[in-house]
Amino acid sequence: MSGGDAKKLVRSPSGLRMVPEHRAARSPFGLDEPPWVPDKECPRCMQCDTKFDFITRKHHCRRCGKCFCDKCCSKKVPLPRMCFVDPVRQCAECALVSQKETEFYDKQLKVLMNGATFFVTLGTSDKSELMVCRLSSNQRYLVLDGDSHYEIEIIQISTVQILTEGFTPGGGNTRAIGMILQYKVPGSEEVTQMKFTAGEDFSCNKKLSASWLAAMHKVSK
């Protein structure tokens, strides 16, 4: 592991976290731990309004920091966006959001890091270049490799438009065939556009390309 991507194990009131040693190396998909609502400001559960006492204990949701009784904050769910090593206690609303995000971390991110091959056109050029496109291991850059090399910082991407073909009245039977990406060049307000097109000559990679584009669409959200 390179020095810039090194991680360290830290203990917070919420649990153990494996975080980047340098804040600048953190994932653009990460979230900061929320401040906890102070115990003295929380005499009742913030969901069901049950009064806390020696029997009804208070618990803090690790995602929102609000205070709940055990019944309203009993689920322990993975929270990779905060780099927790183990599943952590969350309220029902936050647990639902975190569960939906689990698929993104378990599937889409891996698809993006594995990469796919596209014809890439820069700006208004009429020439395209065959390139392998992938997400960097630290999740901070979109890396394009061919005869040329580009590294686009994810936080600089302003627009992701997925290109599809096929149509039915119900909206089905469409497949992703490309993408138009717009991003800002660091240090300026200039916006650059790239067009990604899945190569028709690579039929065996069409499914992989479509999966990669679908994952990229998730990233844009």
Side-chain angles (χ1 to χ4, degrees):
M1 181 179 290
S2 64
D5 292 340
K7 294 185 178 182
K8 61 182 179 181
L9 189 65
V10 298
R11 181 181 293 278
S12 73
S14 300
L16 287 173
R17 302 170 67 217
M18 184 65 76
V19 301
E21 285 192 352
H22 305 286
R23 186 174 178 83
R26 64 177 293 180
S27 167
F29 309 116
L31 292 174
D32 290 326
E33 283 190 84
W36 282 9
V37 174
D39 287 350
K40 62 182 180 181
E41 296 179 11
C42 187
R44 296 177 177 274
C45 173
M46 299 179 77
Q47 177 64 42
C48 69
D49 204 38
T50 296
K51 185 177 181 179
F52 295 122
D53 53 31
F54 289 110
I55 297 176
T56 304
R57 304 288 299 276
K58 61 184 64 175
H59 301 279
H60 287 86
C61 171
R62 271 51 175 173
R63 186 173 181 121
C64 68
K66 294 180 180 179
C67 199
F68 302 92
C69 66
D70 182 69
K71 182 179 179 181
C72 294
C73 193
S74 61
K75 293 186 178 181
K76 289 191 175 183
V77 179
L79 186 47
R81 292 189 71 183
M82 290 185 191
C83 303
F84 284 109
V85 174
D86 301 308
V88 290
R89 189 184 291 270
Q90 297 176 58
C91 67
E93 183 177 349
C94 286
L96 185 61
V97 175
S98 294
Q99 286 168 342
K100 290 180 179 179
E101 291 175 348
T102 297
E103 181 184 356
F104 174 71
Y105 274 83
D106 288 348
K107 296 180 181 179
Q108 275 84 15
L109 272 185
K110 291 179 181 178
V111 168
L112 290 173
M113 287 189 280
N114 285 338
T117 303
F118 297 92
F119 285 105
V120 179
T121 305
L122 181 62
T124 57
S125 172
D126 57 358
K127 295 182 179 180
S128 60
E129 181 180 339
L130 188 63
M131 308 188 82
V132 175
C133 309
R134 61 179 177 83
L135 187 68
S136 63
S137 59
N138 61 14
Q139 303 167 7
R140 295 183 63 230
Y141 295 91
L142 185 62
V143 180
L144 289 74
D145 278 312
D147 291 336
S148 305
H149 177 82
Y150 298 95
E151 292 187 7
I152 302 170
E153 196 168 5
I154 292 296
I155 61 172
Q156 297 295 336
I157 296 175
S158 56
T159 305
V160 175
Q161 179 186 352
I162 302 300
L163 307 175
T164 61
E165 70 174 8
F167 175 77
T168 63
N173 294 332
T174 60
R175 67 184 182 95
I177 59 170
M179 168 179 74
I180 294 177
L181 191 75
Q182 292 183 328
Y183 64 96
K184 287 185 178 180
V185 177
S188 75
E189 293 300 313
E190 179 185 352
V191 176
T192 300
Q193 178 172 294
M194 279 186 172
K195 183 178 180 180
F196 297 67
T197 306
E200 292 299 321
D201 295 336
F202 297 89
S203 57
C204 61
N205 290 328
K206 283 183 180 179
K207 185 175 181 180
L208 176 61
S209 298
S211 297
W212 194 92
L213 290 168
M216 196 64 195
H217 184 56
K218 290 273 189 180
V219 165
S220 67
K221 292 182 177 181

